[in-house]
Amino acid sequence: EPPAPESFGGSETILLVEDDGQVRTLARNILRRNGYVVLEAANGGEALLICEQHGANIDLLLTDVVMPETSGPLLASELRAGRPDLAVVLMSGYSGASLTQNEDMVPGAAFLEKPFTATSVLRTVRESLE
């Protein structure tokens, strides 16, 4: 897949939380190829540890909605308690109705439907950062 249009790249730091290793690697590679700094976590616990280490340097949380230990929306709420301006993108294979409750939990969050493409990831991330 060719690199996405320049306009979707960036240099911000993204915390990527996804328990599926293949999906996480795919998203990480797309984002890094387009200039982003990517911090990876396989679950909510790892994500919280990374946040403690990197503090305010995280610009956007890109997280799966459904994970074994904690949900993406819960994680987002927890992280936003300390950094209210954190941009949030929730990834999910489910579209529509099942997501409205998550929207209530994470005001202003964007949704990225799985399976995603390089363009859909980059566009959603870029729009959320701006």
Side-chain angles (χ1 to χ4, degrees):
E1 200 168 357
E6 283 297 298
S7 57
F8 292 146
S11 56
E12 290 91 344
T13 298
I14 296 172
L15 174 57
L16 169 63
V17 191
E18 164 63 70
D19 56 306
D20 181 319
Q22 283 184 305
V23 176
R24 196 170 66 244
T25 300
L26 177 64
R28 177 195 68 206
N29 291 346
I30 291 168
L31 291 164
R32 284 196 176 147
R33 249 203 325 269
N34 287 275
Y36 294 101
V37 176
V38 181
L39 307 171
E40 281 179 84
N43 55 54
E46 280 183 26
L48 292 170
L49 280 175
I50 289 172
C51 281
E52 282 171 26
Q53 292 160 359
H54 291 269
N57 297 334
I58 296 165
D59 300 296
L60 180 138
L61 170 67
L62 175 57
T63 181
D64 195 15
V65 169
V66 182
M67 293 184 290
E69 293 176 30
T70 181
S71 76
L74 278 174
L75 176 65
S77 304
E78 215 167 322
L79 296 185
R80 268 195 178 163
R83 43 182 81 66
D85 52 352
L86 180 70
V88 176
V89 176
L90 300 170
M91 291 185 282
S92 179
Y94 309 98
S95 60
S98 61
L99 291 178
T100 47
Q101 60 194 24
N102 295 322
E103 280 176 322
D104 296 339
M105 289 180 66
V106 192
F111 276 101
L112 177 63
E113 213 170 312
K114 291 201 261 187
F116 51 74
T117 63
T119 304
S120 71
V121 170
L122 292 162
R123 180 185 291 124
T124 306
V125 162
R126 194 66 252 155
E127 286 172 357
S128 298
L129 286 165
E130 289 168 3

